[in-house]
Amino acid sequence: MRSLEGKVAVVTGGSRGIGRAICVRLASMGALVYINYVSRSSAAEETQKIIQDAGNRAEIICFDVAQGDAVQEAFKKMVADAGSTDILVNNAGITRDGLMARMKESDWDEVMNTNLKGAFFCAKAASKAMMKKRWGRVINISSVSGVAGNPGQANYSAAKAGLIGLTKSMAREYASRNITVNSVAPGYIKTEMTDLLDEKTQEQLKRDIPLAVLGSPEDVAGAVAYLASEDGRYITGQTLHINGGMYM
Ligand code: NDP
């Protein structure tokens, strides 16, 4: 199914983990995909190679989503080079976990700046080209922690819940321009982010998940692909939960 032929997709944090699977999937549907990263260029190059080896198209673009000026410049460059930014997936995210009582202000700020403010910067920049074309898709990667809360993740949960509010307000503001805005809220997905959890926590998690396994990045990519495609054209302001039944 190459239903995204002619579209340009930007995936923040697209170099590895869930972002990589999203890049591979959107490129397989015919989109030209911009793989964003901030520090590990080798991971971005690996993702580009996977896409190109499959006969699809991808470019790499390095910027920090938390830096407003850098985001603006990057989107200007992508529009100049590719003509548009039709699909934006706000996927870049970090954790700085710790109990509230011990959480440093810097842990709060770093997570907010990357996970929430970064999405605001990117959506604002990407929407200019979308409005001109009267077509666009913004997909924000939230988290089960943002809807159910999670001890040790006050900063992360607040940022991910914030993304859902951003999604709904943007969806209402941009609907008249044929731009849909949705969130995808993954549960526990096997990536470097969850590899950080110790074995005991991972075993406990599996007991909390009705389907009793961690999800894969491809499970999330499938939901993003659906929302980005014409099949998702009548869906806006929603949150799609991909969590094995962990939160219902
Ligand atoms: P990873 O840690 O595996 O990858 C994170 C990606 O984000 C990397 O590409 C990284 O680039 C990029 N990134 C981090 N900070 C920035 C920044 N300031 N600017 C640009 N890019 C940045 O994460 P996952 O794949 O596990 O998670 C992806 C998204 O899904 C995140 O938003 C996460 O919160 C969310 N999520 C993940 C879940 C999971 O179980 N894994 C569950 C629920 C939600 P670089 O390598 O260059 O640093």
Side-chain angles (χ1 to χ4, degrees):
M1 183 179 63
R2 295 184 67 83
S3 58
L4 297 182
E5 207 76 59
K7 304 285 190 227
V8 180
V10 185
V11 183
T12 68
S15 55
R16 55 194 170 87
I18 293 172
R20 171 180 290 178
I22 294 170
C23 287
V24 170
R25 184 67 186 264
L26 297 183
S28 78
M29 292 164 75
L32 163 62
V33 174
Y34 276 91
I35 305 160
N36 160 254
Y37 75 100
V38 68
S39 58
R40 276 168 51 178
S41 59
S42 58
E45 283 156 16
E46 222 176 281
T47 304
Q48 186 184 37
K49 187 169 179 331
I50 294 168
I51 291 171
Q52 290 178 341
D53 286 352
N56 299 316
R57 295 179 306 148
E59 299 286 343
I60 295 173
I61 188 147
C62 175
F63 61 90
D64 180 347
V65 295
Q67 302 294 326
D69 292 345
V71 169
Q72 269 199 12
E73 265 189 36
F75 277 86
K76 262 192 208 152
K77 182 174 169 22
M78 288 186 278
V79 171
D81 292 351
S84 188
T85 49
D86 306 297
I87 299 164
L88 168 67
V89 185
N90 277 316
N91 166 80
I94 57 168
T95 49
R96 296 287 182 269
D97 293 354
L99 294 174
M100 268 290 278
R102 285 200 291 266
M103 186 173 285
K104 290 186 268 159
E105 189 178 343
S106 59
D107 294 333
W108 176 271
D109 288 344
E110 279 176 43
V111 167
M112 282 294 164
N113 289 343
T114 299
N115 298 12
L116 184 55
K117 202 174 185 184
F120 161 70
F121 284 145
C122 292
K124 195 173 164 186
S127 64
K128 284 185 191 147
M130 293 178 188
M131 285 199 286
K132 267 197 197 141
K133 277 183 90 172
R134 292 280 196 276
W135 196 96
R137 299 279 195 265
V138 179
I139 298 154
N140 296 316
I141 308 298
S142 178
S143 166
V144 68
S145 300
V147 282
N150 197 18
Q153 290 201 310
N155 50 359
Y156 184 83
S157 302
K160 293 297 188 182
L163 275 180
I164 293 175
L166 173 70
T167 297
K168 291 180 182 177
S169 291
M170 261 198 90
R172 289 185 186 277
E173 280 189 33
Y174 288 83
S176 62
R177 309 297 179 98
N178 195 29
I179 298 168
T180 67
V181 187
N182 290 288
S183 304
V184 170
Y188 285 86
I189 307 295
K190 212 171 158 23
T191 69
E192 284 180 35
M193 192 177 267
T194 40
D195 286 345
L196 291 175
L197 302 169
D198 59 49
E199 212 167 296
K200 202 173 138 220
T201 313
Q202 295 209 24
E203 281 313 310
Q204 178 57 47
L205 272 174
K206 286 182 199 162
R207 284 194 285 276
D208 293 341
I209 301 171
L211 288 177
V213 282
L214 263 63
S216 73
E218 289 72 24
D219 293 325
V220 181
V224 171
Y226 170 57
L227 292 170
S229 74
E230 274 312 297
D231 288 336
R233 71 178 191 96
Y234 200 54
I235 303 170
T236 197
Q238 305 303 313
T239 300
L240 195 44
H241 300 273
I242 314 287
N243 59 28
M246 189 183 178
Y247 172 85
M248 298 185 187

